[in-house]
Amino acid sequence: MNISDILVPIIDKYSKNTNKKLVWLPTSRHINIQTLTPDEVGDVGEELIFTTLKNSGNYDVTWSKKTKNKEYDVKAKNKTNKRNHRIEVKTATLGNSTSSFQHDGLKKHRKFDNIIFVDIGPDDMYITCSTKEELPWLEASTNPLVPRKSKMTVRENGDYKYDLMLKQVKNNLITNETDFLVSFSDMEKRLAIQRMALAQTKRATRAIKV
């Protein structure tokens, strides 16, 4: 299924009549997302990820909006290997004056394993799946899907802001559910390697103490 066929009905569910100025062409497929508040845009991205993972049949999925969990947005348990993924979802629309997607309010202290950036343009969508450890909190990104030189901005309140340029995510164009599920699966594999390395480090540390 074309992923926009999932996205558009979700957008339309939140959309409402508004006098807000719309800067995309009226014929744009995702035009109605420009009528939404930032919180509603966030809900759209979370529901998209929740729905797509659930539809795959490969995961047991819960959406934190329904459970009131504050640490992450979506939880997905792989039915095959039983591994849990606590997912933070950040959603942005293409900027009006610059070709960028601005993701604000990232909280490093929260207990999530992965973060998914959902970047929505007038007719296209880009999804970048990353583990928490791959993000450039202080140093250059180690995520193979984003440039190593991309960096975050730290706010006075300790939150992080992460801007992704359109040219940086163009290779993460998602047109159907399979595209996203392949990207998500690749992220699962990278996270498994990171967890294994962390476990080895902990065992080595305990051995030294003994």
Side-chain angles (χ1 to χ4, degrees), residues 101-170:
F101 301 95
Q102 299 183 26
H103 299 279
D104 216 336
L106 284 83
K107 302 180 187 299
K108 186 179 181 182
H109 66 276
R110 286 189 175 172
K111 297 176 181 178
F112 59 91
D113 307 300
N114 312 312
I115 186 163
I116 297 178
F117 297 101
V118 179
D119 295 321
I120 301 171
D123 297 293
D124 296 320
M125 178 167 44
Y126 309 85
I127 299 181
T128 304
C129 298
S130 180
T131 70
K132 186 177 184 179
E133 297 305 316
E134 289 170 340
L135 292 181
W137 300 107
L138 295 175
E139 300 176 354
S141 173
T142 60
N143 187 335
L145 300 178
V146 298
R148 290 184 59 82
K149 293 183 179 180
S150 62
K151 294 184 179 179
M152 289 180 165
T153 302
V154 184
R155 301 290 199 188
E156 289 185 2
N157 64 358
D159 287 357
Y160 287 77
K161 182 175 184 289
Y162 193 29
D163 294 347
L164 291 171
M165 301 298 293
L166 178 59
K167 63 182 180 181
Q168 293 175 328
V169 298
K170 63 181 181 180

Side-chain angles (χ1 to χ4, degrees), residues 9-25:
I10 295 174
I11 293 174
D12 291 345
K13 182 171 66 175
Y14 290 91
S15 183
K16 51 189 175 295
N17 293 325
T18 178
N19 293 322
K20 185 177 179 180
K21 182 180 179 181
L22 307 180
V23 298
W24 294 347
L25 292 175

Side-chain angles (χ1 to χ4, degrees), residues 63-93:
W63 183 15
S64 63
K65 185 175 182 181
K66 297 181 179 180
T67 63
K68 307 301 181 182
N69 186 293
K70 301 292 185 181
E71 295 296 321
Y72 48 85
D73 298 316
V74 175
K75 185 175 182 180
K77 183 177 181 179
N78 189 306
K79 292 182 179 180
T80 301
N81 59 33
K82 308 304 180 183
R83 289 174 179 157
N84 283 311
H85 296 275
R86 300 169 298 181
I87 307 164
E88 178 76 4
V89 181
K90 284 297 179 183
T91 307
T93 57

Side-chain angles (χ1 to χ4, degrees), residues 192-208:
I193 293 172
Q194 291 169 14
R195 284 173 168 170
M196 187 180 300
L198 179 60
Q200 291 173 344
T201 299
K202 289 182 177 179
R203 285 196 296 268
T205 301
R206 287 196 296 267
I208 292 174

